[in-house]
Amino acid sequence: MDLDDVSRHIDIPPDAPYTLSGLDTLNPILTIDGKIKLVGEYLETIGTCLAFSDKEVAPAENGKPHKTVEPVAKIHKILKFRLALDNDDGETRATTL
């Protein structure tokens, strides 16, 4: 998921609850904290993209805690989101920020 365009314009709390719906459609909807509505669009990647997970590892007896990074998936499409606006007729459309 790519939220770069959106996160530059609005503040998204890191612990905000979210709902992601319509993943099987061309334009999935991401609702954050019940207030912010985003419309997604799938974009093809060039080459193979990898997704990673990082986690804190407990310190050894003589060491400091550190993070490990592990690959978790290969990605062939990126889901990019934009801020959504509702039309008067109830339809949702994406805006360009």
Side-chain angles (χ1 to χ4, degrees):
M1 291 193 328
D2 182 350
L3 298 174
D4 274 349
D5 289 342
V6 176
S7 63
R8 284 186 242 151
H9 300 281
I10 59 174
D11 182 37
I12 301 173
D15 59 348
Y18 65 91
T19 303
L20 184 57
S21 60
L23 282 173
D24 57 344
T25 68
L26 292 176
N27 299 106
I29 303 291
L30 176 62
T31 306
I32 301 172
D33 206 15
K35 302 172 190 170
I36 304 167
K37 189 172 184 180
L38 307 172
V39 176
E41 175 183 17
Y42 291 102
L43 303 174
E44 296 288 333
T45 62
I46 298 174
T48 301
C49 291
L50 299 174
F52 293 90
S53 155
D54 65 345
K55 63 181 173 181
E56 189 87 17
V57 176
E61 288 181 33
N62 60 354
K64 297 180 181 178
H66 64 280
K67 286 188 177 183
T68 62
V69 178
E70 300 175 354
V72 293
K74 291 181 184 178
I75 301 170
H76 301 283
K77 291 186 181 185
I78 294 171
L79 183 51
K80 186 172 183 113
F81 284 95
R82 294 190 193 132
L83 193 58
L85 294 177
D86 290 329
N87 293 339
D88 292 335
D89 57 4
E91 290 184 18
T92 300
R93 65 179 174 82
T95 65
T96 304
L97 299 174

Coordinates of all heavy atoms in Angstrom, one line a residue:
M1 N 0.8 -1.2 0.0 CA 0.0 0.0 0.0 C 0.9 1.2 0.0 O 1.9 1.3 0.7 CB -0.9 0.0 1.2 CG -2.0 -1.1 1.2 SD -3.3 -0.9 2.3 CE -2.7 -0.2 3.8
D2 N 0.6 2.2 -0.8 CA 1.3 3.4 -0.9 C 0.4 4.6 -0.5 O -0.6 4.9 -1.1 CB 1.7 3.6 -2.4 CG 2.6 4.8 -2.6 OD1 2.7 5.7 -1.7 OD2 3.1 5.0 -3.7
L3 N 0.8 5.2 0.6 CA 0.1 6.3 1.2 C 0.9 7.6 1.1 O 0.5 8.6 1.7 CB -0.3 6.0 2.6 CG -1.2 4.8 2.9 CD1 -1.4 4.6 4.4 CD2 -2.6 5.0 2.2
D4 N 2.0 7.6 0.4 CA 2.9 8.8 0.4 C 2.2 10.1 0.0 O 2.3 11.1 0.6 CB 4.1 8.6 -0.6 CG 5.2 7.9 0.1 OD1 5.2 7.7 1.3 OD2 6.1 7.4 -0.6
D5 N 1.4 10.1 -1.1 CA 0.7 11.3 -1.6 C -0.3 11.8 -0.5 O -0.4 13.0 -0.3 CB 0.0 11.0 -2.9 CG 0.9 10.8 -4.1 OD1 2.1 11.2 -4.0 OD2 0.5 10.3 -5.1
V6 N -0.9 10.9 0.2 CA -1.9 11.3 1.2 C -1.3 11.8 2.4 O -1.6 12.8 3.0 CB -2.8 10.1 1.5 CG1 -3.8 10.4 2.6 CG2 -3.6 9.7 0.2
S7 N -0.2 11.0 2.9 CA 0.4 11.4 4.2 C 1.1 12.7 4.2 O 1.3 13.3 5.3 CB 1.3 10.3 4.7 OG 2.4 10.1 3.8
R8 N 1.4 13.3 3.1 CA 2.0 14.6 3.0 C 1.0 15.7 3.2 O 1.3 16.8 3.6 CB 2.6 14.8 1.6 CG 3.9 14.1 1.4 CD 4.6 14.4 0.2 NE 4.7 13.2 -0.6 CZ 4.7 13.1 -1.9 NH1 4.6 14.2 -2.6 NH2 4.8 11.9 -2.5
H9 N -0.3 15.4 3.1 CA -1.3 16.4 3.2 C -2.2 16.3 4.4 O -2.9 17.3 4.8 CB -2.2 16.4 1.9 CG -1.4 16.6 0.7 ND1 -1.1 17.9 0.3 CD2 -0.9 15.8 -0.3 CE1 -0.4 17.8 -0.9 NE2 -0.3 16.6 -1.2
I10 N -2.3 15.1 5.0 CA -3.2 14.9 6.1 C -2.4 14.1 7.2 O -1.5 13.3 6.8 CB -4.5 14.2 5.8 CG1 -4.3 12.8 5.2 CG2 -5.4 15.1 5.0 CD1 -5.5 12.0 5.0
D11 N -2.7 14.3 8.4 CA -2.1 13.5 9.5 C -2.8 12.2 9.8 O -4.0 12.2 10.1 CB -2.1 14.4 10.8 CG -1.3 13.7 11.9 OD1 -0.3 13.1 11.7 OD2 -1.8 13.9 13.1
I12 N -2.1 11.1 9.6 CA -2.7 9.8 9.9 C -2.0 9.3 11.1 O -0.8 8.9 11.1 CB -2.4 8.8 8.7 CG1 -3.1 9.4 7.4 CG2 -3.0 7.5 9.0 CD1 -2.8 8.6 6.2
P13 N -2.8 9.1 12.3 CA -2.2 8.6 13.5 C -1.7 7.2 13.3 O -2.4 6.4 12.6 CB -3.3 8.6 14.5 CG -4.3 9.5 13.9 CD -4.1 9.5 12.4
P14 N -0.5 6.8 13.8 CA 0.0 5.5 13.6 C -0.8 4.3 14.2 O -0.8 3.2 13.7 CB 1.4 5.5 14.2 CG 1.4 6.7 15.1 CD 0.4 7.6 14.6
D15 N -1.6 4.6 15.2 CA -2.4 3.6 15.8 C -3.9 3.7 15.5 O -4.7 3.1 16.1 CB -2.2 3.6 17.3 CG -2.6 4.9 17.9 OD1 -2.8 5.9 17.2 OD2 -2.7 5.0 19.2
A16 N -4.2 4.4 14.4 CA -5.6 4.6 14.1 C -6.2 3.3 13.5 O -5.6 2.6 12.7 CB -5.8 5.7 13.0
P17 N -7.5 3.0 13.9 CA -8.1 1.8 13.3 C -8.5 2.1 11.8 O -8.7 3.2 11.4 CB -9.4 1.6 14.1 CG -9.6 2.9 14.7 CD -8.3 3.6 14.9
Y18 N -8.5 1.0 11.0 CA -8.8 1.2 9.6 C -9.6 0.0 9.1 O -9.6 -1.1 9.6 CB -7.5 1.4 8.8 CG -6.6 0.1 8.8 CD1 -6.8 -0.8 7.8 CD2 -5.7 -0.1 9.7 CE1 -6.0 -2.0 7.7 CE2 -4.9 -1.2 9.7 CZ -5.1 -2.2 8.7 OH -4.3 -3.3 8.7
T19 N -10.3 0.3 8.0 CA -11.1 -0.7 7.3 C -10.7 -0.7 5.8 O -10.7 0.4 5.2 CB -12.6 -0.5 7.4 OG1 -13.0 -0.4 8.7 CG2 -13.4 -1.6 6.7
L20 N -10.3 -1.8 5.3 CA -9.9 -1.9 3.9 C -11.0 -2.8 3.2 O -11.1 -4.0 3.6 CB -8.5 -2.5 3.8 CG -7.9 -2.7 2.4 CD1 -7.9 -1.3 1.7 CD2 -6.5 -3.3 2.5
S21 N -11.7 -2.3 2.2 CA -12.7 -3.0 1.6 C -12.6 -3.0 0.1 O -11.9 -2.1 -0.5 CB -14.1 -2.5 2.0 OG -14.2 -1.1 1.6
G22 N -13.2 -3.9 -0.6 CA -13.2 -3.9 -2.1 C -11.8 -4.3 -2.7 O -11.5 -3.9 -3.8
L23 N -11.0 -5.2 -2.0 CA -9.8 -5.6 -2.6 C -9.9 -6.3 -3.9 O -9.0 -6.3 -4.7 CB -9.0 -6.5 -1.6 CG -8.3 -5.7 -0.5 CD1 -7.7 -6.7 0.5 CD2 -7.2 -4.8 -1.0
D24 N -11.1 -6.9 -4.2 CA -11.3 -7.6 -5.4 C -11.9 -6.7 -6.5 O -12.3 -7.1 -7.5 CB -12.3 -8.8 -5.2 CG -13.6 -8.4 -4.6 OD1 -13.7 -7.2 -4.1 OD2 -14.5 -9.2 -4.6
T25 N -11.9 -5.4 -6.3 CA -12.4 -4.4 -7.3 C -11.2 -3.6 -7.8 O -10.0 -3.7 -7.3 CB -13.4 -3.4 -6.6 OG1 -12.7 -2.6 -5.7 CG2 -14.5 -4.2 -5.9
L26 N -11.4 -2.8 -8.8 CA -10.3 -2.0 -9.4 C -9.9 -0.8 -8.5 O -8.8 -0.3 -8.5 CB -10.8 -1.4 -10.7 CG -10.9 -2.4 -11.9 CD1 -11.4 -1.8 -13.1 CD2 -9.6 -3.1 -12.1
N27 N -10.9 -0.4 -7.6 CA -10.6 0.7 -6.7 C -11.0 0.4 -5.3 O -12.1 0.8 -4.8 CB -11.3 2.0 -7.2 CG -10.9 2.4 -8.6 OD1 -11.6 2.2 -9.6 ND2 -9.7 2.9 -8.7
P28 N -10.2 -0.3 -4.5 CA -10.5 -0.6 -3.1 C -10.6 0.7 -2.3 O -10.1 1.8 -2.7 CB -9.2 -1.3 -2.7 CG -8.6 -1.9 -3.9 CD -8.9 -0.9 -4.9
I29 N -11.3 0.6 -1.2 CA -11.6 1.8 -0.3 C -10.9 1.5 1.0 O -11.0 0.5 1.6 CB -13.1 2.0 -0.1 CG1 -13.8 2.2 -1.4 CG2 -13.3 3.2 0.9 CD1 -13.5 3.5 -2.1
L30 N -10.1 2.5 1.5 CA -9.5 2.5 2.8 C -10.1 3.6 3.6 O -10.0 4.7 3.3 CB -7.9 2.7 2.7 CG -7.1 2.7 3.9 CD1 -7.2 1.4 4.7 CD2 -5.7 3.1 3.6
T31 N -10.7 3.2 4.8 CA -11.3 4.2 5.7 C -10.4 4.1 7.0 O -10.3 3.1 7.6 CB -12.7 3.8 6.0 OG1 -13.4 3.7 4.8 CG2 -13.4 4.9 6.8
I32 N -9.9 5.3 7.3 CA -9.0 5.4 8.5 C -9.7 6.1 9.6 O -10.2 7.3 9.4 CB -7.7 6.1 8.1 CG1 -7.0 5.3 7.0 CG2 -6.8 6.2 9.4 CD1 -5.8 6.0 6.5
D33 N -9.8 5.5 10.8 CA -10.4 6.1 12.0 C -11.8 6.6 11.8 O -12.3 7.5 12.4 CB -9.5 7.3 12.4 CG -9.6 7.6 13.9 OD1 -10.1 6.7 14.6 OD2 -9.2 8.7 14.3
G34 N -12.5 5.9 10.8 CA -13.9 6.3 10.5 C -14.1 7.7 9.9 O -15.2 8.1 9.7
K35 N -13.0 8.4 9.6 CA -13.1 9.8 9.2 C -12.5 10.0 7.8 O -13.0 10.8 7.0 CB -12.4 10.7 10.2 CG -12.9 10.6 11.6 CD -12.1 11.4 12.5 CE -12.5 11.2 14.0 NZ -11.5 11.7 14.9
I36 N -11.3 9.4 7.6 CA -10.6 9.6 6.4 C -10.9 8.5 5.4 O -10.7 7.3 5.7 CB -9.1 9.7 6.6 CG1 -8.7 10.7 7.7 CG2 -8.3 9.9 5.3 CD1 -7.3 10.6 8.3
K37 N -11.4 8.9 4.2 CA -11.7 7.9 3.2 C -10.8 8.0 2.0 O -10.6 9.1 1.4 CB -13.2 8.1 2.7 CG -13.7 7.0 1.9 CD -15.2 7.2 1.6 CE -15.8 6.0 0.9 NZ -17.2 6.2 0.6
L38 N -10.1 6.9 1.6 CA -9.2 6.9 0.5 C -9.6 5.9 -0.5 O -10.1 4.9 -0.2 CB -7.8 6.6 1.0 CG -7.2 7.4 2.2 CD1 -5.9 6.7 2.7 CD2 -7.0 8.8 1.8
V39 N -9.3 6.3 -1.8 CA -9.6 5.4 -2.9 C -8.3 4.9 -3.5 O -7.4 5.7 -3.7 CB -10.4 6.1 -4.0 CG1 -10.6 5.2 -5.2 CG2 -11.8 6.6 -3.5
G40 N -8.2 3.6 -3.7 CA -7.0 3.0 -4.2 C -7.1 2.6 -5.7 O -8.1 2.6 -6.3
E41 N -5.9 2.5 -6.2 CA -5.7 2.1 -7.6 C -4.5 1.2 -7.7 O -3.4 1.5 -7.1 CB -5.5 3.3 -8.5 CG -5.2 3.0 -9.9 CD -4.9 4.3 -10.7 OE1 -4.7 5.4 -10.1 OE2 -5.0 4.2 -11.9
Y42 N -4.6 0.0 -8.4 CA -3.5 -0.9 -8.5 C -2.6 -0.4 -9.6 O -3.0 0.0 -10.7 CB -4.0 -2.3 -8.9 CG -4.7 -2.9 -7.7 CD1 -6.1 -3.0 -7.7 CD2 -4.0 -3.5 -6.7 CE1 -6.8 -3.7 -6.7 CE2 -4.7 -4.1 -5.6 CZ -6.0 -4.2 -5.6 OH -6.7 -4.8 -4.6
L43 N -1.3 -0.3 -9.4 CA -0.2 0.0 -10.3 C 0.7 -1.1 -10.5 O 1.1 -1.8 -9.5 CB 0.5 1.3 -9.8 CG -0.3 2.5 -9.5 CD1 0.6 3.6 -8.9 CD2 -1.0 3.0 -10.8
E44 N 1.1 -1.4 -11.7 CA 2.1 -2.5 -12.0 C 3.4 -2.0 -11.6 O 3.8 -0.8 -11.7 CB 2.1 -2.7 -13.5 CG 0.8 -3.3 -14.1 CD 0.6 -4.7 -13.7 OE1 1.5 -5.5 -13.4 OE2 -0.6 -5.1 -13.7
T45 N 4.2 -2.9 -11.1 CA 5.6 -2.6 -10.7 C 6.5 -2.9 -11.9 O 6.2 -3.7 -12.8 CB 6.1 -3.4 -9.5 OG1 6.0 -4.8 -9.8 CG2 5.2 -3.1 -8.3
I46 N 7.7 -2.3 -11.9 CA 8.7 -2.6 -12.8 C 9.7 -3.5 -12.1 O 10.3 -3.2 -11.1 CB 9.4 -1.3 -13.3 CG1 8.4 -0.4 -14.0 CG2 10.6 -1.7 -14.2 CD1 9.0 0.9 -14.4
G47 N 9.8 -4.7 -12.6 CA 10.6 -5.7 -11.9 C 9.9 -6.3 -10.8 O 8.6 -6.3 -10.7
T48 N 10.6 -6.9 -9.8 CA 10.0 -7.5 -8.6 C 10.2 -6.6 -7.4 O 11.3 -6.2 -7.1 CB 10.6 -8.9 -8.4 OG1 10.4 -9.7 -9.5 CG2 10.0 -9.5 -7.2
C49 N 9.2 -6.3 -6.7 CA 9.3 -5.5 -5.4 C 9.2 -6.5 -4.3 O 8.5 -7.5 -4.4 CB 8.2 -4.5 -5.3 SG 8.3 -3.2 -6.5
L50 N 9.9 -6.3 -3.3 CA 9.9 -7.2 -2.1 C 9.3 -6.4 -0.9 O 9.6 -5.2 -0.7 CB 11.3 -7.7 -1.7 CG 12.0 -8.5 -2.8 CD1 13.4 -8.8 -2.4 CD2 11.3 -9.8 -3.1
A51 N 8.6 -7.1 -0.1 CA 8.0 -6.5 1.2 C 8.8 -7.1 2.3 O 9.1 -8.3 2.3 CB 6.6 -6.8 1.3
F52 N 9.2 -6.3 3.3 CA 10.0 -6.7 4.4 C 9.2 -6.5 5.7 O 8.4 -5.6 5.8 CB 11.3 -6.0 4.5 CG 12.2 -6.4 3.3 CD1 12.2 -5.6 2.2 CD2 13.1 -7.4 3.4 CE1 13.0 -5.9 1.1 CE2 13.9 -7.8 2.4 CZ 13.9 -7.0 1.2
S53 N 9.6 -7.3 6.7 CA 9.1 -7.1 8.1 C 10.3 -6.9 9.0 O 11.3 -7.5 8.8 CB 8.3 -8.4 8.5 OG 8.3 -8.5 9.9
D54 N 10.1 -5.9 9.9 CA 11.2 -5.7 10.9 C 10.7 -6.0 12.3 O 9.5 -5.7 12.6 CB 11.9 -4.4 10.8 CG 11.0 -3.2 11.1 OD1 9.8 -3.4 11.2 OD2 11.5 -2.1 11.3
K55 N 11.5 -6.5 13.2 CA 11.1 -6.7 14.5 C 12.3 -6.5 15.5 O 13.4 -6.7 15.1 CB 10.5 -8.1 14.7 CG 11.4 -9.3 14.4 CD 10.7 -10.6 14.6 CE 11.6 -11.7 14.1 NZ 11.0 -13.0 14.3
E56 N 12.0 -6.1 16.7 CA 12.9 -5.9 17.7 C 13.3 -7.3 18.3 O 12.5 -8.1 18.6 CB 12.4 -5.0 18.8 CG 13.3 -4.6 19.8 CD 14.1 -3.3 19.4 OE1 13.6 -2.6 18.5 OE2 15.1 -3.0 20.0
V57 N 14.6 -7.5 18.4 CA 15.1 -8.8 19.0 C 15.7 -8.4 20.4 O 16.4 -7.5 20.6 CB 16.3 -9.4 18.1 CG1 16.8 -10.6 18.7 CG2 15.7 -9.7 16.7
A58 N 15.3 -9.3 21.3 CA 15.8 -9.1 22.7 C 17.3 -9.1 22.8 O 17.9 -9.9 22.0 CB 15.2 -10.1 23.6
P59 N 17.9 -8.3 23.7 CA 19.3 -8.3 23.8 C 19.9 -9.6 24.3 O 19.3 -10.3 25.1 CB 19.6 -7.2 24.7 CG 18.4 -7.0 25.5 CD 17.2 -7.5 24.6
A60 N 21.1 -9.9 23.9 CA 21.8 -11.1 24.5 C 22.3 -10.6 25.8 O 22.2 -9.4 26.2 CB 23.0 -11.5 23.5
E61 N 23.0 -11.4 26.5 CA 23.4 -11.1 27.9 C 24.3 -9.9 27.9 O 24.3 -9.0 28.8 CB 24.1 -12.3 28.5 CG 23.2 -13.4 29.0 CD 23.9 -14.5 29.6 OE1 25.0 -14.3 30.3 OE2 23.5 -15.6 29.5
N62 N 25.2 -9.8 26.9 CA 26.1 -8.7 26.8 C 25.8 -7.6 25.7 O 26.6 -6.7 25.5 CB 27.5 -9.2 26.6 CG 27.7 -10.0 25.3 OD1 26.7 -10.2 24.6 ND2 28.9 -10.4 25.0
G63 N 24.7 -7.7 25.1 CA 24.5 -6.9 23.9 C 23.3 -5.9 24.1 O 22.7 -5.9 25.2
K64 N 23.0 -5.2 23.1 CA 21.9 -4.3 23.1 C 20.8 -4.9 22.2 O 21.1 -5.7 21.3 CB 22.3 -2.9 22.4 CG 23.4 -2.2 23.2 CD 23.8 -0.9 22.6 CE 24.9 -0.2 23.3 NZ 25.2 1.0 22.6
P65 N 19.6 -4.4 22.4 CA 18.5 -4.9 21.5 C 18.8 -4.4 20.1 O 19.4 -3.3 19.9 CB 17.2 -4.3 22.1 CG 17.7 -3.2 23.0 CD 19.1 -3.5 23.4
H66 N 18.4 -5.2 19.1 CA 18.5 -4.8 17.7 C 17.4 -5.2 16.9 O 16.5 -6.0 17.4 CB 19.9 -5.3 17.2 CG 19.9 -6.8 17.1 ND1 20.2 -7.6 18.2 CD2 19.7 -7.7 16.1 CE1 20.2 -8.8 17.9 NE2 19.9 -8.9 16.6
K67 N 17.3 -4.7 15.7 CA 16.2 -5.1 14.8 C 16.7 -6.1 13.8 O 17.8 -6.0 13.3 CB 15.6 -3.9 14.1 CG 14.8 -3.0 15.0 CD 14.1 -1.9 14.1 CE 13.2 -1.1 15.0 NZ 12.5 -0.1 14.3
T68 N 15.8 -7.0 13.4 CA 16.1 -7.9 12.3 C 15.1 -7.6 11.2 O 13.9 -7.2 11.4 CB 16.0 -9.4 12.6 OG1 14.6 -9.7 13.1 CG2 16.9 -9.8 13.7
V69 N 15.5 -7.7 9.9 CA 14.6 -7.5 8.8 C 14.6 -8.8 8.0 O 15.6 -9.4 7.6 CB 15.2 -6.3 7.9 CG1 14.3 -6.1 6.7 CG2 15.3 -5.1 8.7
E70 N 13.3 -9.2 7.7 CA 13.1 -10.4 6.9 C 12.2 -10.2 5.7 O 11.2 -9.5 5.9 CB 12.5 -11.5 7.8 CG 13.4 -11.9 9.0 CD 12.7 -12.8 9.9 OE1 11.5 -13.2 9.7 OE2 13.3 -13.3 10.9
P71 N 12.5 -10.8 4.6 CA 11.5 -10.6 3.5 C 10.3 -11.5 3.8 O 10.3 -12.5 4.3 CB 12.3 -11.2 2.3 CG 13.3 -12.1 2.9 CD 13.6 -11.5 4.2
V72 N 9.1 -10.9 3.4 CA 7.8 -11.6 3.7 C 7.0 -11.9 2.4 O 6.2 -12.8 2.4 CB 6.9 -10.9 4.7 CG1 7.6 -10.9 6.1 CG2 6.6 -9.5 4.2
A73 N 7.3 -11.1 1.3 CA 6.5 -11.3 0.1 C 7.1 -10.7 -1.1 O 7.9 -9.7 -1.0 CB 5.1 -10.8 0.3
K74 N 6.8 -11.2 -2.3 CA 7.1 -10.6 -3.5 C 5.8 -9.9 -4.0 O 4.7 -10.4 -3.9 CB 7.5 -11.6 -4.6 CG 8.8 -12.3 -4.4 CD 9.1 -13.2 -5.5 CE 10.4 -14.0 -5.2 NZ 10.6 -15.0 -6.3
I75 N 6.0 -8.6 -4.5 CA 4.8 -7.8 -4.9 C 4.9 -7.5 -6.4 O 5.9 -7.1 -6.9 CB 4.8 -6.5 -4.1 CG1 4.8 -6.8 -2.6 CG2 3.6 -5.7 -4.5 CD1 5.0 -5.6 -1.7
H76 N 3.8 -7.7 -7.1 CA 3.7 -7.5 -8.5 C 2.9 -6.2 -8.8 O 2.9 -5.7 -9.9 CB 3.2 -8.7 -9.2 CG 4.1 -9.9 -9.0 ND1 5.3 -10.1 -9.6 CD2 3.9 -11.0 -8.2 CE1 5.8 -11.2 -9.2 NE2 5.0 -11.8 -8.4
K77 N 2.1 -5.8 -7.8 CA 1.3 -4.6 -8.0 C 1.4 -3.8 -6.7 O 1.5 -4.3 -5.6 CB -0.1 -4.9 -8.3 CG -0.3 -5.5 -9.7 CD -1.8 -5.7 -10.0 CE -2.0 -6.3 -11.3 NZ -3.3 -6.4 -11.7
I78 N 1.3 -2.5 -6.8 CA 1.3 -1.6 -5.7 C -0.1 -1.0 -5.6 O -0.7 -0.6 -6.6 CB 2.3 -0.4 -5.9 CG1 3.7 -1.0 -5.9 CG2 2.1 0.6 -4.8 CD1 4.8 0.0 -6.2
L79 N -0.7 -0.9 -4.4 CA -2.0 -0.3 -4.2 C -1.8 1.1 -3.7 O -1.4 1.3 -2.6 CB -2.8 -1.2 -3.2 CG -4.2 -0.7 -2.9 CD1 -5.0 -0.6 -4.2 CD2 -4.9 -1.8 -2.0
K80 N -2.0 2.1 -4.6 CA -1.7 3.5 -4.3 C -3.0 4.2 -4.0 O -4.0 4.0 -4.7 CB -1.1 4.2 -5.5 CG -0.6 5.6 -5.2 CD 0.2 6.1 -6.4 CE 0.6 7.5 -6.1 NZ 2.1 7.6 -5.9
F81 N -3.1 4.9 -2.9 CA -4.3 5.6 -2.4 C -4.3 7.1 -2.6 O -3.2 7.7 -2.5 CB -4.5 5.3 -0.9 CG -5.0 3.9 -0.7 CD1 -4.1 2.8 -0.4 CD2 -6.4 3.6 -0.8 CE1 -4.6 1.6 -0.2 CE2 -6.8 2.3 -0.6 CZ -6.0 1.3 -0.3
R82 N -5.5 7.6 -2.8 CA -5.7 9.1 -2.9 C -6.9 9.4 -2.0 O -7.8 8.6 -1.8 CB -6.0 9.5 -4.3 CG -4.9 9.3 -5.3 CD -5.2 10.0 -6.6 NE -4.2 9.6 -7.6 CZ -4.5 9.2 -8.8 NH1 -5.8 9.1 -9.1 NH2 -3.6 8.8 -9.6
L83 N -6.9 10.7 -1.6 CA -8.1 11.1 -0.8 C -9.3 11.0 -1.6 O -9.3 11.4 -2.8 CB -7.8 12.6 -0.3 CG -8.7 13.1 0.7 CD1 -8.6 12.3 2.0 CD2 -8.3 14.6 1.0
A84 N -10.4 10.6 -1.0 CA -11.7 10.4 -1.7 C -12.7 11.5 -1.4 O -12.7 12.0 -0.2 CB -12.3 9.1 -1.3
L85 N -13.4 11.9 -2.3 CA -14.5 12.9 -2.1 C -15.8 12.2 -2.6 O -15.8 11.5 -3.6 CB -14.3 14.1 -3.0 CG -13.1 15.0 -2.6 CD1 -13.0 16.2 -3.5 CD2 -13.3 15.5 -1.2
D86 N -16.9 12.4 -1.9 CA -18.2 11.9 -2.3 C -18.9 12.9 -3.1 O -19.0 14.1 -2.7 CB -19.1 11.5 -1.0 CG -18.5 10.3 -0.3 OD1 -17.9 9.4 -1.0 OD2 -18.7 10.2 0.9
N87 N -19.5 12.5 -4.2 CA -20.3 13.4 -5.1 C -21.7 13.6 -4.4 O -22.1 12.9 -3.5 CB -20.5 12.8 -6.5 CG -19.2 12.7 -7.2 OD1 -18.2 13.5 -6.9 ND2 -19.1 11.9 -8.2
D88 N -22.5 14.5 -5.0 CA -23.8 14.7 -4.5 C -24.7 13.5 -4.7 O -25.6 13.3 -4.0 CB -24.4 15.9 -5.2 CG -23.8 17.2 -4.8 OD1 -23.2 17.3 -3.7 OD2 -23.8 18.2 -5.6
D89 N -24.4 12.7 -5.7 CA -25.2 11.5 -6.0 C -24.7 10.3 -5.2 O -25.1 9.2 -5.5 CB -25.2 11.2 -7.5 CG -23.8 11.0 -8.1 OD1 -22.8 11.0 -7.3 OD2 -23.7 10.8 -9.3
G90 N -23.7 10.5 -4.3 CA -23.3 9.4 -3.4 C -22.1 8.6 -3.9 O -21.7 7.7 -3.3
E91 N -21.7 8.9 -5.1 CA -20.5 8.2 -5.7 C -19.2 8.7 -5.1 O -19.1 9.9 -4.8 CB -20.5 8.3 -7.2 CG -21.6 7.5 -7.9 CD -21.5 7.6 -9.4 OE1 -20.4 7.9 -9.9 OE2 -22.5 7.3 -10.1
T92 N -18.3 7.8 -5.0 CA -16.9 8.2 -4.4 C -16.0 8.3 -5.6 O -15.9 7.5 -6.4 CB -16.4 7.2 -3.4 OG1 -17.4 7.1 -2.4 CG2 -15.1 7.5 -2.9
R93 N -15.2 9.4 -5.6 CA -14.1 9.6 -6.6 C -12.9 10.0 -5.9 O -12.9 10.6 -4.8 CB -14.6 10.6 -7.7 CG -14.8 12.0 -7.2 CD -15.2 12.9 -8.3 NE -15.5 14.2 -7.8 CZ -14.6 15.2 -7.6 NH1 -13.3 14.9 -7.7 NH2 -14.9 16.3 -7.1
A94 N -11.7 9.8 -6.5 CA -10.4 10.2 -6.0 C -10.1 11.6 -6.4 O -10.5 12.1 -7.5 CB -9.3 9.2 -6.5
T95 N -9.4 12.3 -5.5 CA -8.9 13.6 -5.9 C -7.4 13.6 -6.1 O -6.7 12.7 -5.7 CB -9.2 14.6 -4.7 OG1 -8.4 14.2 -3.6 CG2 -10.6 14.7 -4.3
T96 N -6.9 14.6 -6.9 CA -5.5 14.7 -7.1 C -5.0 15.7 -6.1 O -5.5 16.9 -6.0 CB -5.2 15.2 -8.5 OG1 -5.8 14.3 -9.4 CG2 -3.7 15.3 -8.8
L97 N -4.0 15.3 -5.3 CA -3.5 16.2 -4.3 C -2.3 17.0 -4.8 O -1.6 16.6 -5.6 CB -3.1 15.4 -3.0 CG -4.2 14.7 -2.4 CD1 -3.6 13.8 -1.3 CD2 -5.2 15.6 -1.8

